[in-house]
Amino acid sequence: MTTTVRRAAQTRARVAPLLGPAFVAAIAYVDPGNVAANLTAGARYGYLLLWVLVAANAMAVLVQYQSAKLGIVTGESLPGVLGSRLRRGPRLAFWAQAEVVAAATDIAEVVGGAIALHLLFGLPLVLGGGIVGVVSMLLLATQDRYGQRRFEVLVAALLLVIAVGFLSGLVGNPPDAGGVLSGIVPRFEGTDSVLLAASMLGATVMPHAIYVHSALARDRFGVVPDARRPALLRATRFDVGGALALAGLVNIGLLLLAAASLRGVAGTDSIEGAHAAIRTALGGGVAGVFAVGLLASGLASTSVGCYAGATVMDGLIHRRIPLLLRRAITLTPALLLLGLGADPTWTLVVSQVVLSFGIPFAVIPLLRLGRDRALMGRYANGPWTHGVLVAVASLVVVLNIALVVLLLAG
């Protein structure tokens, strides 16, 4: 037993310094878009769409590991590899769709942070969005000044705040076990439930997180000698598994919270209404912690989203602009929407649908590159892994086609 414990401690000592990139990427999986999509799903349909989150999180673990592996093996990001292989026309088109996805991401994150500041302090949404933008600039400045490791620690701390904030409500009102079991069975109830499922999928398997994870691994580890790659890939599996297990727990907890405490309560299909219902059902303390979690989610995720956008631009069109300047530019659409009076929660949900349509453009190239032996060498995916990735990409495409057909028919 002593030998086993000692070996486990030695393993932790070797692995711990290698952890971090996945926790930054995982922030994308608990952004305000997730909050809106999962609360709306739980409030409207109870436990019905729980299976979507379970399936999406399993997909996310596989896809994010593939992205990190690409960065470790090639020493390049996914956008960088694509940028070196695509002709100019397709490369620019790919960059354009990736920027649309990044813009949708940024809108969700800034709007979510603005809602949190409104709930906590009563600030106008436009002012709150501006504050979120400024604070996210400070987070990015941390990465510029102190390096990636310090940035990873800061983001991981925010991830813990998010987890506590969003899961605290389950302590006072646990979900129904029978309802949870029934929610694991795949099914829909009409067009709106398919729309929400696409939104939840887009909020869970996020295109910009796929792009950025390869860059995070590249920037953290640089060019990795082949002899060191197996150990680093093993550590990355721990990193991805732990980070996305926490993110998945948060997402599932949000839906369970809404299903257990908010189902049938008027107005709970918005974040503001859900917050008010949480205050009524579970008390001001839980509601306050929830709002703090939402604020941490907006601040952390908008910083990671900006980092991802810079990765996409650098890899695909070989242009770089300072992260802080990019932050200022990408803040504008969100502030315009807030200023025009767009419904904040519905804006968040629609932004996640846009992300869902961007997933195949990230996943399909990733699975093709992952099987390329000329690029990946002995780390290329085998038939089973490749088959699972093809199934993931196919499921996303089918769901999006079904969504379009149902919306046109409706």
Side-chain angles (χ1 to χ4, degrees):
M1 178 64 70
T2 303
T3 302
T4 302
V5 172
R6 186 184 304 112
R7 287 177 178 173
Q10 290 172 345
T11 300
R12 287 194 297 270
R14 289 194 301 268
V15 169
L18 305 178
L19 304 181
F23 284 84
V24 175
I27 283 291
Y29 291 85
V30 288
D31 75 354
N34 294 82
V35 179
N38 296 332
L39 286 180
T40 300
R44 289 185 186 177
Y45 295 103
Y47 302 102
L48 176 74
L49 297 177
L50 176 60
W51 66 273
V52 176
L53 288 181
V54 174
N57 202 68
M59 295 178 196
V61 171
L62 179 61
V63 170
Q64 291 300 142
Y65 173 71
Q66 294 299 316
S67 177
K69 185 172 80 167
L70 180 72
I72 291 169
V73 173
T74 67
E76 184 54 89
S77 68
L78 173 59
V81 174
L82 292 174
S84 66
R85 293 182 168 217
L86 295 175
R87 298 189 306 274
R88 186 173 187 276
R91 180 163 50 85
L92 292 177
F94 196 97
W95 170 71
Q97 68 80 28
E99 288 289 1
V100 169
V101 167
T105 301
D106 213 46
I107 287 170
E109 293 155 353
V110 173
V111 169
I115 293 173
L117 287 172
H118 175 71
L119 295 175
L120 288 168
F121 307 111
L123 297 180
L125 290 175
V126 176
L127 176 59
I131 292 174
V132 169
V134 171
V135 175
S136 68
M137 287 182 184
L138 297 177
L139 291 175
L140 290 169
T142 298
Q143 194 266 350
D144 278 345
R145 182 170 181 179
Y146 297 107
Q148 183 174 330
R149 185 60 174 163
R150 187 72 61 88
F151 181 65
E152 289 171 357
V153 171
L154 182 58
V155 170
L158 288 172
L159 180 58
L160 292 177
V161 173
I162 294 166
V164 172
F166 290 157
L167 297 177
S168 59
L170 292 175
V171 177
N173 189 16
D176 175 66
V180 172
L181 290 176
S182 69
I184 299 176
V185 180
R187 63 196 191 281
F188 295 107
E189 287 183 6
T191 303
D192 187 56
S193 67
V194 179
L195 175 64
L196 275 174
S199 178
M200 294 161 69
L201 183 63
T204 305
V205 183
M206 301 195 75
H208 76 285
I210 298 172
Y211 297 133
V212 79
H213 201 161
S214 55
L216 289 165
R218 174 203 64 190
D219 295 344
R220 168 67 103 78
F221 304 117
V223 178
V224 181
D226 187 67
R228 187 168 173 248
R229 287 174 187 166
L232 191 52
L233 290 172
R234 284 194 296 272
T236 298
R237 285 192 281 270
F238 281 106
D239 195 28
V240 172
L244 292 187
L246 180 57
L249 181 64
V250 171
N251 282 319
I252 290 171
L254 282 167
L255 186 144
L256 296 181
L257 174 65
S261 302
L262 310 180
R263 183 90 191 269
V265 180
T268 52
D269 54 356
S270 70
I271 291 179
E272 298 94 324
H275 178 264
I278 290 171
R279 180 183 295 276
T280 299
L282 302 173
V286 173
V289 173
F290 173 87
V292 170
L294 179 62
L295 179 59
S297 169
L299 292 174
S301 55
T302 193
S303 303
V304 175
C306 192
Y307 189 109
T311 296
V312 167
M313 175 179 281
D314 181 32
L316 289 168
I317 65 172
H318 313 302
R319 300 285 176 86
R320 292 187 180 185
I321 60 175
L323 277 176
L324 299 185
L325 176 59
R326 183 180 181 90
R327 167 72 282 176
I329 294 171
T330 57
L331 184 62
T332 303
L335 294 181
L336 283 175
L337 284 172
L338 291 174
L340 293 172
D343 177 72
T345 301
W346 189 242
T347 299
L348 292 175
V349 173
V350 171
S351 73
Q352 304 311 294
V353 175
V354 173
L355 293 184
S356 183
F357 282 95
I359 296 170
F361 293 98
V363 174
I364 292 174
L366 181 65
L367 68 91
R368 292 187 65 182
L369 293 171
R371 201 184 186 192
D372 186 343
R373 292 200 173 275
L375 177 70
M376 300 295 290
R378 64 190 178 106
Y379 303 101
N381 292 327
W384 283 103
T385 301
H386 183 72
V388 173
L389 283 167
V390 168
V392 167
S394 301
L395 177 61
V396 173
V397 171
V398 169
L399 181 58
N400 288 335
I401 292 173
L403 172 62
V404 171
V405 171
L406 289 172
L407 288 176
L408 292 176

